[in-house]
Amino acid sequence: MLGGFWVGQSKEDYGKIFAIPKKGYVLLDPKEQLKIILSGTEEVLPLEELESKLVKAVKENRPLIVKYGVDPTSPDLHLGHAVPLRKLREFQDLGHTVVLLIGDFTAQIGDPSMKSATRPQLTEDEVKENAATYTSQAFKILDEERTIIDRNGRWFSAMNFGDIIKLASKFTVARLLERDDFAKRYRENSPISLHEFLYPVMQAYDSVMLKSDVEMGGTDQTFNMLAGRDLQRAHGQESQVVLTMPILEGTDGVQKMSKSLGNHIGLTDEPAEIFGKVMSIPDSIMIKYFKLATSLSPEEIDEIERGLKDESLHPATVKRRLASLIVTAYHNDRQAKAAEKEFDAVFKMGDLPSDLDEVILPNEVLKDGKVWIIKLITHLGFASSNGEARRLIEQGGVSVNQEAILSVDAEICITDGDIIRVGKRRFAKLKRDQS
């Protein structure tokens, strides 16, 4: 496995590995710690318990165990995923113990949070493959040497059916139906599979196994994390504090950032791609991006916000700074400067990107040298579906050799060297297969 400290099978290994991050523990005043932790968070439940835990941690020189669970349902991370990871890094810098829990077992169930229908279940191989790329990308943010990685399959795969029954007995159906998504589906007579009811039960049990002091997640995970508090009390443990992070909107400025919606900014995107995508976000969400996607201090962000309000700062200038900061965070300053130069060349001067990809179109895509524009866009990966490709054309976002394509039924005759542009940032130089 990649990076971090992977928890072994034995209780001895488990105990030793939790002691490792104590080195470098920073004994900041609890009030100073609280100020840093609360910056950019959505909610802390309950706040007074977090305060008392921090006081106790400093007094006993014992770092808090901060749990963040992820189901590796996709191999790629974006800035939305990075929001809680950045907060985890702050906990690490304060000296606390961060546990990145890979839900290799729960991912095979599928988290029903915010879903109106049952999620498709993943295979064990899919989960393993996604987990490997997930952790490597997470270390773009987390301190690899101070991150403990565990997986809930370590305990769930060892449980028998009797253990599951005993665990499930700690919850009532009425309690589970308090979840908004379950309640809505129940009212609408939409199916709720029995295994979905077990998901919050299992996530809660993860907290018991880790003896977590704090569990962090998105606002869509509040119910599951509060269930962890209940189950910890039932097992005689001190309840964890629940810390929720805001959900970051995508480049459209409206919907939650998601690869499936095509409004995401990937952590592994090329610098020019990241820069261009950030420059495309609405001005109205720039401050939120500064708060959730950069390391600027609250004071610096407040100053930027004041400058935008009194018009002493121009939005375009501010957005360029935002784009540069984000590119630098996931690449470096040199590449950020190059990305900005590339952006100007393409969008201000009308030049083509310097690293324009050449794509050879196979004969099965072309028919008599022609290709349906919808098929071409999806083949290039510029749209995830025919429906998305249609929308791009209808919005005037598709051109070939700088000529706008206005019909979704257009058949394009391909000549070597033709340039297709989809949206503001996606280009390809086309070539016919000569084999």
Side-chain angles (χ1 to χ4, degrees):
M1 289 295 185
L2 294 170
F5 293 101
W6 281 83
V7 176
Q9 295 295 326
S10 72
K11 291 182 179 178
E12 291 75 17
D13 285 345
Y14 196 73
K16 289 175 184 176
I17 212 152
F18 264 87
I20 290 173
K22 287 185 180 179
K23 64 179 182 179
Y25 184 55
V26 179
L27 292 173
L28 275 184
D29 178 81
K31 290 183 179 179
E32 288 298 314
Q33 291 195 55
L34 188 65
K35 182 180 178 181
I36 294 169
I37 292 168
L38 293 182
S39 177
T41 59
E42 187 76 16
E43 192 172 20
V44 177
L45 301 169
L47 177 58
E48 60 273 13
E49 285 189 20
L50 177 58
E51 292 178 289
S52 64
K53 283 178 181 287
L54 289 171
V55 169
K56 187 177 179 181
V58 171
K59 184 178 180 180
E60 298 179 357
N61 194 33
R62 181 188 70 83
L64 299 180
I65 297 173
V66 184
K67 166 198 171 190
Y68 179 57
V70 291
D71 284 349
T73 54
S74 170
D76 300 313
L77 300 188
H78 52 61
L79 288 185
H81 296 118
V83 171
L85 291 174
R86 294 181 68 84
K87 182 58 65 176
L88 286 175
R89 178 56 188 260
E90 288 181 0
F91 272 106
Q92 286 183 321
D93 291 342
L94 291 170
H96 298 295
T97 301
V98 162
V99 182
L100 182 63
L101 181 66
I102 304 297
D104 60 336
F105 204 93
T106 44
Q108 296 178 62
I109 293 178
D111 183 5
S113 299
M114 305 293 286
K115 293 297 174 182
S116 58
T118 302
R119 277 184 184 264
Q121 293 174 254
L122 300 179
T123 66
E124 186 176 352
D125 287 341
E126 286 174 326
V127 170
K128 286 181 179 178
E129 183 177 345
N130 290 348
T133 56
Y134 195 112
T135 52
S136 65
Q137 291 173 55
F139 290 136
K140 286 177 173 287
I141 301 168
L142 297 177
D143 184 336
E144 186 172 344
E145 293 186 354
R146 291 188 292 161
T147 301
I148 293 172
I149 305 174
D150 208 339
R151 55 184 183 82
N152 60 16
R154 196 167 62 84
W155 44 85
F156 285 126
S157 60
M159 295 174 73
N160 58 38
F161 194 66
D163 297 326
I164 299 298
I165 294 296
K166 184 177 179 181
L167 179 59
S169 70
K170 305 293 184 182
F171 294 82
T172 66
V173 172
R175 174 80 170 97
L176 293 173
L177 283 175
E178 290 177 10
R179 274 181 55 143
D180 291 341
D181 38 30
F182 283 157
K184 183 179 179 182
R185 286 163 65 181
Y186 183 75
R187 287 194 304 269
E188 296 175 351
N189 292 317
S190 297
I192 304 173
S193 298
L194 182 59
H195 76 278
E196 292 182 276
F197 273 142
L198 290 176
Y199 190 94
V201 176
M202 296 170 74
Q203 183 172 332
Y205 190 66
D206 290 341
S207 296
V208 173
M209 292 300 295
L210 295 175
K211 295 183 173 63
S212 53
D213 295 300
V214 178
E215 180 171 12
M216 210 177 71
T219 53
D220 56 340
Q221 294 296 314
T222 301
F223 180 94
N224 295 353
M225 294 189 289
L226 290 174
R229 283 176 56 84
D230 296 339
L231 198 58
Q232 283 179 312
R233 279 195 297 270
H235 281 77
Q237 296 181 12
E238 183 178 306
S239 294
Q240 65 186 14
V241 170
V242 169
L243 190 153
T244 60
M245 296 299 296
I247 291 175
L248 186 66
E249 291 83 2
T251 53
D252 56 3
V254 178
Q255 299 191 79
K256 174 182 177 180
M257 187 174 288
S258 168
K259 187 175 181 181
S260 62
L261 294 175
N263 66 353
H264 67 294
I265 302 174
L267 302 191
T268 57
D269 282 351
E270 292 299 316
E273 182 78 358
I274 293 176
F275 195 97
K277 285 181 177 180
V278 174
M279 291 300 293
S280 74
I281 69 172
D283 293 351
S284 59
I285 62 170
M286 281 196 297
I287 294 299
K288 189 170 186 179
Y289 268 62
F290 272 112
K291 290 179 178 179
L292 300 180
T294 78
S295 298
L296 287 189
S297 69
E299 292 76 18
E300 289 176 289
I301 296 171
D302 288 344
E303 187 177 341
I304 292 171
E305 191 168 16
R306 283 193 298 270
L308 289 170
K309 285 181 179 178
D310 64 21
E311 298 184 351
S312 61
L313 292 176
H314 194 285
T317 304
V318 172
K319 197 178 291 183
R320 280 174 175 270
R321 185 182 181 191
L322 174 63
S324 293
L325 286 170
I326 293 175
V327 173
T328 300
Y330 299 104
H331 294 280
N332 57 52
D333 182 61
R334 178 183 57 79
Q335 289 173 303
K337 287 181 171 65
E340 183 171 11
K341 185 177 179 181
E342 180 92 349
F343 177 84
D344 287 339
V346 174
F347 299 105
K348 291 179 71 176
M349 304 173 197
D351 295 347
L352 292 173
S354 58
D355 57 347
L356 191 63
D357 292 331
E358 182 176 74
V359 180
I360 298 176
L361 298 177
N363 293 321
E364 56 265 27
V365 172
L366 296 172
K367 185 177 181 181
D368 298 325
K370 296 182 179 181
V371 61
W372 179 34
I373 187 62
I374 298 289
K375 186 175 183 179
L376 176 60
I377 294 170
T378 55
H379 174 76
L380 293 171
F382 291 166
S384 58
S385 66
N386 285 358
E388 184 185 350
R390 288 177 184 275
R391 287 192 295 274
L392 288 167
I393 294 169
E394 290 166 353
Q395 293 166 3
V398 178
S399 65
V400 175
N401 297 330
Q402 298 186 329
E403 182 178 342
I405 304 299
L406 304 177
S407 172
V408 296
D409 297 316
E411 293 277 341
I412 308 299
C413 184
I414 300 298
T415 302
D416 289 352
D418 284 345
I419 305 294
I420 182 171
R421 178 173 181 166
V422 177
K424 293 181 178 180
R425 297 171 301 279
R426 288 168 291 186
F427 298 81
K429 180 185 291 186
L430 306 178
K431 185 176 182 179
R432 296 170 61 166
D433 188 353
Q434 302 299 323
S435 60

